[in-house]
Structures are given as C-alpha cells and as structure tokens.
Amino acid sequence: MIKTEIIHPELLSALAKCGHKTKILLADSNYSFVTNSAPNATIIYLNFAPGMINSPFILEKLLKYINVESATLMASPADFDNTIEKEYQHLLSPETEFSWLTREAFYAQAKSSDTMLVIASGETRRFANIILTVGVVRV
C-alpha cells in the first residue's frame, strides 16, 4: 500500500501520463461525462454519491501532484453567486491564469484531443466544471 494522498491506481496512472499543456476536466455531478469528453480521455469516476467527493477536495489533492498553469471555467450567469469559483481561486496559485467560456465553447474544449483525463466528482453545485491545463515542473 502506497502512502500518498491519492491511492486510486487508475487516477495515479492517468496523472502520470499528463504532460505540459495536457488538459484535465474536473466535472460536477451534472456533467455528461461520456458525451462531452474527448473520445480518448480516461474517465475516472469519483462520483460515489451526490455531495461525495466534492470538487475542491479533489482539486486540493491533485495540486500535490501537478502544477496548473491555467484554469478554464464554464461561465455562469451574472446574477449567479458562483461560490465554487472562489474556492478554486483560493486553492490555485495566484499566478494561475483564469478564463471563462460559454457552455458550448467549454464543451468543445473538453472534447478536444488535449483533454486526456476527466474526473467525475460528486459535486452538486452548478457551474463547478473546470478544465485545468497542466504546467511545467520546475526543478
């Protein structure tokens, strides 16, 4: 048994294959994981039950293994208080570039061949989908 914060074997394997500029989609529980993902992406199902396991928890653990140079979120309506967006910004480095795409443009990016990994969460909040672009590891 390994003694790391992530012990899910398929997730560790998929993370190890993600190089610089690879995209990782962290999807909420309402996301259509199969139809709105890249055909060759590995899908890791961590959506055990609604509210379990939530996206900020997964992101916090991922950040122990990868650097993130940019994050793309699905744009929410102007009158929507997107609390999860604030949590993501708190967890990610202040240098992380953030961008927002319309629903259709977000789906198009999620379906691109650059998206190698899709993580299905149990996150129930709306507009919780985020695409992470893997950054370089500075030695």
Side-chain angles (χ1 to χ4, degrees), residues 33-43 110-113 115-116 118:
F33 310 113
V34 176
T35 59
N36 281 311
S37 298
N40 295 323
T42 299
I43 301 175
K111 290 178 183 181
S112 82
S113 61
T115 304
M116 287 187 54
V118 176

Side-chain angles (χ1 to χ4, degrees), residues 24-81:
I24 298 171
L25 168 61
L26 180 51
D28 65 33
S29 60
N30 290 307
Y31 197 86
S32 49
F33 310 113
V34 176
T35 59
N36 281 311
S37 298
N40 295 323
T42 299
I43 301 175
I44 304 293
Y45 293 96
L46 298 181
N47 52 345
F48 181 72
M52 295 178 62
I53 302 171
N54 71 31
S55 293
F57 179 82
I58 295 168
L59 178 59
E60 179 184 357
K61 300 306 176 192
L62 290 177
L63 292 174
K64 306 239 188 235
Y65 292 83
I66 61 167
N67 289 329
V68 175
E69 69 181 35
S70 65
T72 304
L73 294 104
M74 188 180 289
S76 57
D79 62 346
F80 182 77
D81 182 21

